[in-house]
Amino acid sequence: LSNWADPLGLGAPGLNHFWSLCVEVQFYVFWPAIVISVGERYLMRVCLAIVAIAFLSRFGLRLGMSDSASAIYKFTITRMSAPTIGGLAALIARRGAWRRAFERYVRPVGVGLVAALVAIVVARGGFSYLDPVVQTLGFTPVAVLFAVWLLIIACDVPVLGGVATSWPSAAPLRAIGRVSYGMYVLHYPLHWAAMKPLHAYLLADGDPRADLRLGIYILVAMTLTYVFALISWRCFEQPVLTLKKYFQ
């Protein structure tokens, strides 16, 4: 429940990043029941309703709370649109007519989404996750754009000269993807522990070498995170995954 506790100042130090995992777990507690009870015929409408509720929740919190940025960013009710859009993508991939419509309109849809996000970046001078416009209007286009990319891969749609489907299969990205969950789990605790003694040194005000030191720190941190995640994959995750055969 850290995604609810952290915006209220009750988060566990070094574990704040688990808010996103909490959103996923809380969503998937209810999602199977929704799919089974509603059925595929009405599931599209339910998904669109959930996306609308999440948008209205973000907008309402922004209007009703003066210090709502962290809550909007982390509460399940405001962020449930992203996994729901993933569910919509799965529906489109399963339904022949919807899939053909996606393949027909994917290019203008993709261009429109990118244009909308670029407009927000230009208008707001960036894409800060705490910016009110980004939170209310920017989160959904980002989720839809990634869903479109997943559908391009799943449906093998030949766009951008095939780069959109071939690039994710590149060996370096596959190597990172294999241990990405371990990197997600470990990166923030490692960063939190390292920054306690290094914060003043890395972020010294007025020091012209601070940016260089920070850049080196980021590269070292990324490398060590990958190494620790790889160890976790070999020693823990991979052995656990071999147990799947007993539950099939």
Side-chain angles (χ1 to χ4, degrees), residues 72-167:
I72 292 172
Y73 187 61
K74 297 180 179 180
F75 280 179
T76 303
I77 194 170
T78 57
R79 301 309 303 272
M80 60 186 179
S81 54
T84 303
I85 290 168
L88 279 171
L91 275 175
I92 293 171
R94 284 170 53 88
R95 300 287 289 270
W98 294 351
R99 179 168 175 161
R100 288 190 293 273
F102 169 78
E103 293 173 356
R104 187 178 303 116
Y105 296 110
V106 60
R107 290 171 180 81
V109 169
V111 170
L113 290 168
V114 171
L117 292 173
V118 170
I120 292 175
V121 170
V122 172
R124 305 301 295 179
F127 203 80
S128 170
Y129 69 93
L130 298 177
D131 184 285
V133 173
V134 172
Q135 289 192 329
T136 52
L137 300 178
F139 284 173
T140 299
V142 170
V144 174
L145 187 61
F146 274 97
V148 166
W149 192 3
L150 286 174
L151 277 170
I152 289 172
I153 296 171
C155 302
D156 196 22
V157 181
V159 296
L160 300 175
V163 174
T165 54
S166 62
W167 183 62

Side-chain angles (χ1 to χ4, degrees), residues 12-109:
L15 301 177
N16 310 72
H17 65 309
F18 282 130
W19 72 266
S20 57
L21 182 61
C22 292
V23 171
E24 292 182 40
V25 171
Q26 291 160 24
F27 176 83
Y28 288 118
V29 165
F30 297 100
W31 181 246
I34 293 173
V35 173
I36 293 171
S37 61
V38 172
E40 191 169 332
R41 180 179 178 183
Y42 297 104
L43 192 55
M44 174 71 77
R45 299 176 189 175
V46 172
C47 288
L48 293 175
I50 293 173
V51 173
I53 291 170
F55 168 77
L56 292 174
S57 298
R58 295 196 298 269
F59 192 74
L61 279 174
R62 175 56 64 178
L63 290 179
M65 295 175 59
S66 59
D67 188 22
S68 60
S70 182
I72 292 172
Y73 187 61
K74 297 180 179 180
F75 280 179
T76 303
I77 194 170
T78 57
R79 301 309 303 272
M80 60 186 179
S81 54
T84 303
I85 290 168
L88 279 171
L91 275 175
I92 293 171
R94 284 170 53 88
R95 300 287 289 270
W98 294 351
R99 179 168 175 161
R100 288 190 293 273
F102 169 78
E103 293 173 356
R104 187 178 303 116
Y105 296 110
V106 60
R107 290 171 180 81
V109 169

